[in-house]
Amino acid sequence: MKLLKTPLPITLLAILCYSCNSQSSSYEKSATNSDSLVTGLHSAQRRIIKTADLRARVTDVYEVTYRIEQATRQLDGLVMESAMENTVDLSRCMEYKMDSLKQMQTFTTTSHLTVRIPVQGVDSFIHAVMAYSSFVDHRNIKLDDVSLRYLGNQLKNNEGEAATVGKAAALTQKNREVVSLNEYRQQQAIQKIDRNIENLAIDDQANFATIRIDLYQPEKIDMMIVPNTAFLMKPYFADQLKAGFISGWESLKSFLVGLSYSWVFLLLGGLMFWIIRSKKTGIRWAR
């Protein structure tokens, strides 16, 4: 009996064709099962990321910020950021009494919030924030449909073992070398994990909307009485008089010390003065 031997390239070609057919069937099946994700504009299966930003003027920034934080918690949301600050625009000091000053400054209070709430409550939440406002600078709502990206990750993860075998056979046919199937499977597993994490992030962003809110209030004036430090730190009259005498005495001592260093010049000057004066006196007597 003779054994039929099939050449290796023909065997690999058969495996490749079979795997490609299986992979194509797998793609078609996955796409058929995922049609509900992309059909229907208002379908619940769609992955739509909703974001909004709003800037408004309110009467009291502190009060409205507190109400927004409370409303976020009531909707089972989360306050990601909440920051308030006062910006001083103009400051001036005026004399109030001898030992005190009246300090006046104008300031503007602002608040910056970033909240995440369930997407079902976005419209009512924004409506409530606008009801607290006396003037709305802008209000933007953005919808980002990422359904196809989500579906693409699903289809890639549903390739299955057939795609792995087909890829290994294709690499063997092309490079004429043994391909490490374990290494390739490891790479595929890492890519699958990355796609699963990306889809989890998409689900999180699609279920919880991110809203950024900027609040400000009209400019206000703050007045308070502060001590006049320049006046309070000034010494008493007796201390000033004492300091004056001490300063004068120190100046006199410095002058005398300076003269002591220049006694040679004083001696020469006196000698020259005496000679000149003697000559003038002799001339007068001669006349």
Side-chain angles (χ1 to χ4, degrees), residues 246-261:
I246 294 174
S247 178
W249 174 246
E250 292 296 330
S251 299
L252 179 60
K253 289 195 300 183
S254 299
F255 176 73
L256 294 175
V257 171
L259 289 179
S260 66
Y261 280 102

Side-chain angles (χ1 to χ4, degrees), residues 154-189:
Q154 283 186 335
L155 293 177
K156 291 176 183 178
N157 288 339
N158 292 335
E159 288 185 20
E161 186 67 21
T164 303
V165 176
K167 183 67 176 178
L171 290 175
T172 304
Q173 179 72 13
K174 180 178 179 181
N175 299 330
R176 303 294 183 181
E177 61 184 8
V178 178
V179 178
S180 176
L181 188 58
N182 291 332
E183 182 179 354
Y184 178 73
R185 285 176 176 173
Q186 184 178 5
Q187 294 177 356
Q188 290 296 100

Side-chain angles (χ1 to χ4, degrees), residues 97-108:
K97 291 182 179 180
M98 291 291 294
D99 59 348
S100 58
L101 300 173
K102 179 184 289 187
Q103 185 182 40
M104 298 180 294
Q105 59 184 6
T106 60
F107 66 96
T108 303

Side-chain angles (χ1 to χ4, degrees), residues 31-61:
T32 303
N33 294 336
S34 304
D35 282 344
S36 59
L37 186 64
V38 293
T39 58
L41 187 61
H42 300 285
S43 173
Q45 299 297 327
R46 281 185 173 271
R47 300 298 188 273
I48 298 178
I49 299 175
K50 196 169 188 177
T51 57
D53 65 275
L54 184 145
R55 176 177 170 83
R57 185 184 70 210
V58 296
T59 305
D60 190 341
V61 167

Side-chain angles (χ1 to χ4, degrees), residues 17-132:
C17 293
Y18 176 77
S19 63
C20 289
N21 291 333
S22 300
Q23 183 177 353
S24 177
S25 300
S26 176
Y27 285 155
E28 293 176 358
K29 185 177 180 180
S30 300
T32 303
N33 294 336
S34 304
D35 282 344
S36 59
L37 186 64
V38 293
T39 58
L41 187 61
H42 300 285
S43 173
Q45 299 297 327
R46 281 185 173 271
R47 300 298 188 273
I48 298 178
I49 299 175
K50 196 169 188 177
T51 57
D53 65 275
L54 184 145
R55 176 177 170 83
R57 185 184 70 210
V58 296
T59 305
D60 190 341
V61 167
Y62 297 100
E63 179 66 24
V64 175
T65 299
Y66 175 76
R67 291 184 180 180
I68 291 175
E69 292 174 350
Q70 290 294 104
T72 302
R73 297 185 182 95
Q74 291 175 0
L75 291 173
D76 293 331
L78 183 64
V79 179
M80 305 298 294
E81 180 185 5
S82 179
M84 290 186 290
E85 61 179 348
N86 290 322
T87 303
V88 177
D89 302 317
L90 181 64
S91 180
R92 179 180 299 176
C93 288
M94 300 177 62
E95 186 174 353
Y96 182 69
K97 291 182 179 180
M98 291 291 294
D99 59 348
S100 58
L101 300 173
K102 179 184 289 187
Q103 185 182 40
M104 298 180 294
Q105 59 184 6
T106 60
F107 66 96
T108 303
T109 305
T110 57
S111 176
H112 310 280
L113 295 101
T114 301
V115 301
R116 297 195 67 194
I117 60 174
V119 69
Q120 298 83 0
V122 171
D123 294 335
S124 59
F125 180 83
I126 293 180
H127 180 74
V129 174
M130 294 178 65
Y132 298 145

Side-chain angles (χ1 to χ4, degrees), residues 255-270:
F255 176 73
L256 294 175
V257 171
L259 289 179
S260 66
Y261 280 102
S262 58
W263 66 271
V264 176
F265 301 101
L266 294 176
L267 180 60
L268 292 177

